[in-house]
Amino acid sequence: MSVGITGIGAVSALGIGVDALWDGLAHGRDGIVSIDRFSTEGFSLHLGALVPWPSRAPSPVDFATLAAREALARARVSLENFPSLAKRTALVMGTSLGDGAEKPHVETAAVARALGVLGPALSVSTACTSSTNALGLAKSLLDHGDVHLVIAGGADVLSPDLFAGFHALGALSFAKCSPFGKTMGTTLGEGAGFVVMERHESARQRGATELAWLAGTGLSSDAYHATAPDPTGAGVTRALRAALADARVAASLVDYVNAHGTGTEANDAAEWQALRAVFGAHLEAMLVSSTKGHLGHAQGAAGILEILATLVCMEHASVPPTLHFQGPRPRCPADPVAQPTPRKHAVRHAVSSSSAFGGANAAVVLSAVPSAPAAHATRPLRAVYVATTTSLGRDGLRGTDAPHDECPGRLAEPSLDALLRGADTRGLNRSERMLAAVVASALGDASLVPRGDARERTGLFLGVTRSSPESVAELEESVRQRGLVKLSATAFPKLVLNAPGGTSTKLLGLRGPSTAISMGEGSGLLALVYAARELSSREDADTLVAAGLDELAAHDDPSSRGEGAACVVLTVHHARSCGTRVVATAIGGPDDRAFVEAEAARAAGLATVALEPSTHARGPAEAASSLYRAAAAIARIRAGEAHVIVSEASPNASCAVVFAAEKAEVFDHER
Amino acid sequence: MNAEQRAYVARRNDVLARVRRVLTEELHVRREPEEIDPDVALFGTGLGLDSVDAIEVLLSIEAEFSVAIPDEAAGRSVLRTVGTLVDLVMAHDAASGDEK
C-alpha cells in the first residue's frame, strides 16, 4: 500500500533546510567547494560538496537530528508532549560509513533520543543505497501496523578516509561532477534528509497535509562485483521493476527519473542501459536527470536528498536539472535536463534510483497526491515456510535438526572450497567467508541454490552491526605503512556493512532483493522479521535467506564476546518446507520484549506460546545470537512443539517471531 | 657469467620473490608463491585480479620497493604479467643507478 509523506527536512551542501535546497536548485547553484575541513595535501584533486557547517568535525548524528527535526516540524508533529504518539513513532536511518566513530545503530539510537522517538530505531546500512532502502523498511512498518508514524531517511559525512578511498579507486572527477556529461568521475558529498511518513487515514485523521505519496519501493542485488556495477544494468533494472510493480504504476506513466547518475563512466552507462530496458520508447516522453552536480555524492544520504530534490521540484511543477553538462557522453542520455535551473514539467509519478558497493540497488516510486485515489484491492498474503537453518559453531557447520548453541569466542574457520566449488574466493575477509559458508550450506541443504530465473527471485537479508574488523585492520595497516593518500583500494570497499552480503549474493548468484539492517542485539532476528514480511506481502521474491553475522576483532575480549554466523532460509515454496511456518511477527520500541511477544502471540491468535529462552541476557554474538535461538526454536517444532516464539530486545528496538508447526492451529495469517 | 651478470640475476630473483609475496599476501592470490609463473597474466584467466586490484598492485609494489611509479609508466603493458612487474622494478633500479 502507498503511504503519505507529510513532512520533509534537509541538510545538504546547498544549505540547512528544505528552503535552502529549493533555493539552490531554483538558482542553479551547486554546493561543490575546494575542501577546507581537512587537509587534502598529496591528493590529485580537492573538490567536495560540503554542508556549510560551523564545526570542523560534524557527525552524522548532528546532520540527521537537524534534518529530522525540520521534517517533524513541517509535518506538525510534536513528540515531546505526546508520549503515546512517541511510542508509536519509528526512526529508520540509512548510513554508510558515517564518520567511522560509531556503529550505525548506535548513531540511530542517538538521533532517536534527540528527537524523542520512543518506538523502534532501526538502521539500514547498504552503502550508497542506504537511505533509499530505508524508505522500504519504513513503509513496511506502516503497512504492518507496528507504528503510526515513521521518520525515515539517512545521513553521512564526507570524512578524510572516505575521500581517500574514492580517490584510490580512481572514481573522483578533477572538475565538478557532471553526470552523463563529457567529464567523467564523481564528487563526494554529505548531508542528511528525512521524511515523515504515515498511512493515508492517519494523516487525514490528524488533519495533516500529504505532500506526496511513497507509492512503491524495490531492492535488488547485482551479484556481479564488489565495486563495479553490472555493465548490462540488469541489477538496476530489477530494482526499478520491483518498485514499479509494488506501486502498481506502469512504466509508461512515469514522468521523471532522478537517476543515481554519479558521473563515473561505469555507473552512468550501466544505469542508462537499465533505464532503456525499463522505459524503452517512453524515454522520449519523460525526463531523466541527476542532482549530483549540485549535491555531490552524499553516500548514505544521497538517495533521500535526491528524493527531496525531486519532491520540492514536483511542488513547483518542474524537475531538477543536471548541472555542469558540457556535452553528451557515449552510452548516456543526450539531454539529461542539461540546463542551469529546473525545467517546467508536470510530474504525476517519479522514480528515484540508487546503487552501491556490494552490488546493492534500491528504487522508489513517488506519486503526486491524486485528486481521486484509485481503490486497489489488497494483495493476498502468502504463507511463509522455513526451509532450513544453518549455524556455525566451534566444530563447523550444523543444519536444521541439530543447531549449535551460540558461544563466546572464535568460531571454526569454515571450508568454502567444498561448499562453493569453482567459485573465486580470493581475498575474502573472515566475515565474507563465514557468511558465504552458512548461506551456501543452508541453500544447499534446502535444494534452493538458485538456477536460471530463480536467481532473480532469491535474496539475502543480513543483520550485521559493524564493518569487518579484518578489513578495518587491513585498511589501517595500509594507511600506517603508505599514508592516507595510498590507502588500500581493495580493503576500503569491504568496510561497507553490506559487503559480506554482497559477496555471498555474488558467489551464489542471488539477484533478488537484498539488504543489511541493524538494531544492535537482535539484528539477525530483525532481518528474519523483515524477510518474512516481504515474502508474505510482496511478489518479487520466493526465497529469502535471513542471516546474522558477527566477526571478532583481534582486540576483542573472546571471553565475553563471540563470533556468530547463522541463517534461516524462508521460502513460499511449500515443497521445500521443513514443516515449520512463520505465522506472526512484531516490531516494537527499545527493551520491550513483553510488548512484542504479546503482539506476535495476538497476531497469531494464540493465548499461550512456548518461549525459546534467551541463554544470555545479552548474547555474546551481537547480531547473530537471536538466529541461533531461532534455529533452536525451529528444531523444537520439528521435534513436536506446536508453537514457539523467539524475541529479542536492544536499546534500539524489540522484535518477535512466532514459528508454528505446519499442522498447528493458528489464525490463517497475521492480521 | 661475470660478476655484474650474476648480481643482475640475483637481484632479479629477489625482486621476483618479493613480487610473488606481494601477490599472495597483499593481493590474496591463492597459490603458493613458487607456483606463480613469471609469465602468468595478472588479470582475467591468469591470476584473476580485477580493476580495483590493479591500483593495489601498483601501490603495493611502490611500498615494497620504495619506488615511485609515475602515472605514465603505470600502463597496461606494465600490468600484463608477473614478469612485467619485475621488469618495472628492474628498470627503476637501472634508472636510479644512472643517477648515482
Side-chain angles (χ1 to χ4, degrees):
Chain A
M1 287 290 284
S2 64
V3 294
I5 296 172
T6 53
I8 55 178
V11 168
S12 77
L14 289 173
I16 310 297
V18 169
D19 289 341
L21 177 66
W22 166 247
D23 195 65
L25 290 166
H27 293 95
R29 277 204 314 273
D30 68 58
I32 299 173
V33 295
S34 185
I35 295 173
D36 55 2
R37 194 185 289 155
F38 52 85
S39 167
T40 55
E41 197 186 331
F43 291 97
S44 56
L45 51 98
H46 315 280
L47 294 175
L50 296 182
V51 171
W53 195 257
S55 110
R56 291 184 79 81
S59 78
V61 173
D62 297 338
F63 286 167
T65 304
L66 194 56
R69 281 200 175 124
E70 183 188 14
L72 284 168
R74 284 176 180 264
R76 297 176 194 280
V77 171
S78 158
L79 296 178
E80 290 80 7
N81 304 320
F82 298 93
S84 61
L85 178 61
K87 275 199 88 156
R88 296 293 240 159
T89 298
L91 174 71
V92 184
M93 177 163 146
T95 317
S96 180
L97 297 172
D99 55 4
E102 273 297 357
K103 297 177 188 172
H105 72 270
V106 176
E107 290 175 340
T108 302
V111 175
R113 270 196 306 278
L115 299 174
V117 168
L118 300 177
L122 310 180
S123 287
V124 176
S125 192
T126 50
C128 305
T129 65
S130 298
S131 56
T132 315
N133 187 344
L135 297 197
L137 176 55
K139 187 160 92 68
S140 145
L141 294 175
L142 291 171
D143 284 347
H144 201 266
D146 298 298
V147 292
H148 291 314
L149 212 68
V150 187
I151 307 158
D156 252 316
V157 295
L158 175 42
S159 69
D161 287 17
L162 182 81
F163 186 76
F166 272 77
H167 183 266
L169 286 168
L172 298 181
S173 169
F174 288 92
K176 289 179 177 182
C177 170
S178 157
F180 305 115
K182 270 184 182 159
T183 317
M184 298 206 231
T186 195
T187 302
L188 290 174
E190 62 178 11
F194 280 87
V195 295
V196 172
M197 289 166 26
E198 50 197 308
R199 286 184 294 276
H200 304 306
E201 57 274 22
S202 326
R204 198 165 44 241
Q205 278 166 12
R206 71 176 188 93
T209 307
E210 293 186 327
L211 309 171
W213 287 7
L214 176 66
T217 63
L219 298 172
S220 76
S221 181
D222 271 4
Y224 178 78
H225 189 268
T227 57
D230 178 345
T232 66
V236 179
T237 299
R238 287 193 292 279
L240 290 168
R241 288 193 171 138
L244 289 167
D246 184 37
R248 300 184 212 205
V249 169
S252 60
L253 293 176
V254 173
D255 301 302
Y256 170 65
V257 174
N258 187 297
H260 189 53
T262 58
T264 67
E265 185 175 14
N267 174 81
D268 292 6
E271 196 173 11
W272 185 236
Q273 285 273 75
L275 293 175
R276 284 173 38 175
V278 173
F279 297 103
H282 178 61
L283 280 171
E284 301 290 324
M286 60 187 273
L287 295 176
V288 176
S289 72
S290 162
T291 32
K292 286 198 169 61
H294 302 83
L295 301 169
H297 187 352
Q299 302 292 295
I304 188 68
L305 285 172
E306 288 152 18
I307 287 162
L308 296 180
T310 302
L311 290 175
V312 294
C313 284
M314 273 168 77
E315 208 184 323
H316 292 86
S318 62
V319 302
T322 302
L323 286 188
H324 314 306
F325 189 81
Q326 310 270 332
R329 191 194 296 182
R331 297 184 291 141
C332 283
D335 174 26
V337 195
Q339 61 189 61
T341 54
R343 187 177 293 179
K344 283 288 171 197
H345 186 73
V347 175
R348 286 160 303 164
H349 301 287
V351 169
S352 183
S353 160
S354 303
S355 300
F357 286 171
N361 302 295
V364 298
V365 179
L366 305 162
S367 300
V369 178
S371 45
H376 283 307
T378 48
R379 291 192 185 97
L381 296 173
R382 302 191 294 178
V384 176
Y385 304 97
V386 174
T388 49
T389 72
T390 297
S391 47
L392 182 62
R394 289 228 176 102
D395 59 354
L397 297 165
R398 285 205 203 155
T400 315
D401 283 325
H404 279 290
D405 287 333
E406 50 169 340
C407 54
R410 275 168 225 287
L411 297 181
E413 174 70 38
S415 162
L416 279 181
D417 292 334
L419 290 165
L420 293 161
R421 263 176 234 290
D424 177 13
T425 54
R426 179 182 62 86
L428 301 188
N429 63 36
R430 188 164 173 78
S431 283
E432 291 172 306
R433 294 194 300 271
M434 292 196 298
L435 182 64
V438 293
V439 174
S441 173
L443 285 170
D445 286 353
S447 303
L448 280 168
V449 176
R451 300 273 174 261
D453 291 348
R455 291 175 176 175
E456 308 195 351
R457 307 187 57 77
T458 307
L460 173 58
F461 281 34
L462 176 63
V464 62
T465 64
R466 63 173 175 178
S467 304
S468 160
E470 182 183 327
S471 288
V472 170
E474 188 179 346
L475 189 80
E476 285 172 353
E477 180 63 16
S478 74
V479 172
R480 202 178 59 75
Q481 285 194 357
R482 313 192 302 224
L484 186 64
V485 177
K486 293 184 176 177
L487 93 180
S488 168
T490 47
F492 169 70
K494 288 184 185 283
L495 261 56
V496 298
L497 269 64
N498 61 312
T503 300
S504 282
T505 65
K506 180 190 162 194
L507 290 170
L508 288 153
L510 317 181
R511 298 178 185 158
S514 287
T515 190
I517 55 180
S518 172
M519 56 178 255
E521 294 284 337
S523 296
L525 195 66
L526 178 68
L528 191 152
V529 167
Y530 189 23
R533 291 176 175 191
E534 295 289 275
L535 279 177
S536 166
S537 63
R538 294 177 64 108
E539 285 154 10
D540 55 349
D542 295 336
T543 299
L544 292 175
V545 183
L549 178 67
D550 304 274
E551 176 193 338
L552 277 187
H555 54 75
D556 286 334
D557 173 10
S559 64
S560 64
R561 300 194 55 174
E563 290 190 314
C567 72
V568 176
V569 178
L570 301 176
T571 184
V572 298
H573 296 303
H574 186 227
R576 293 280 173 262
S577 170
C578 73
T580 305
R581 280 177 61 190
V582 175
V583 291
T585 59
I587 298 177
D591 295 317
D592 206 352
R593 212 173 211 154
F595 171 76
V596 288
E597 284 168 0
E599 282 289 298
R602 188 189 55 75
L606 298 166
T608 55
V609 191
L611 268 176
E612 179 58 34
S614 168
T615 46
H616 302 267
R618 288 271 180 256
E622 192 173 36
S625 80
S626 50
L627 285 188
Y628 284 79
R629 287 193 290 114
I634 291 158
R636 279 173 67 182
I637 290 194
R638 303 248 300 156
E641 196 88 54
H643 318 96
V644 182
I645 191 164
V646 181
S647 66
E648 187 64 90
S650 78
N652 279 65
S654 310
C655 60
V657 182
V658 180
F659 296 103
E662 262 181 53
K663 296 178 284 293
E665 198 61 28
V666 285
F667 254 31
D668 189 36
H669 210 280
E670 23 188 350
R671 286 204 296 157
Chain B
M1 206 154 57
N2 62 29
E4 194 181 324
Q5 285 168 327
R6 271 197 298 277
Y8 177 85
V9 170
R11 169 69 176 160
R12 203 174 163 90
N13 284 338
D14 171 56
V15 170
L16 175 62
R18 286 162 70 186
V19 168
R20 282 169 162 166
R21 191 200 64 75
V22 163
L23 290 170
T24 55
E25 290 181 16
E26 314 283 329
L27 278 301
H28 310 288
V29 169
R30 296 179 74 203
R31 295 192 192 182
E32 292 305 315
E34 56 275 18
E35 286 173 11
I36 298 176
D37 192 283
D39 290 328
V40 72
L42 294 175
F43 301 100
T45 53
L47 297 181
L49 302 187
D50 68 11
S51 57
V52 174
D53 296 315
I55 306 157
E56 189 63 21
V57 167
L58 291 169
L59 291 176
S60 302
I61 294 287
E62 286 190 337
E64 172 70 25
F65 296 98
S66 305
V67 297
I69 303 169
D71 284 351
E72 56 273 20
R76 277 167 197 273
S77 58
V78 163
L79 288 169
R80 207 162 51 78
T81 65
V82 177
T84 58
L85 286 176
V86 174
D87 292 342
L88 176 74
V89 177
M90 297 301 290
H92 191 275
D93 275 4
S96 53
D98 290 345
E99 285 162 19
K100 279 178 196 158

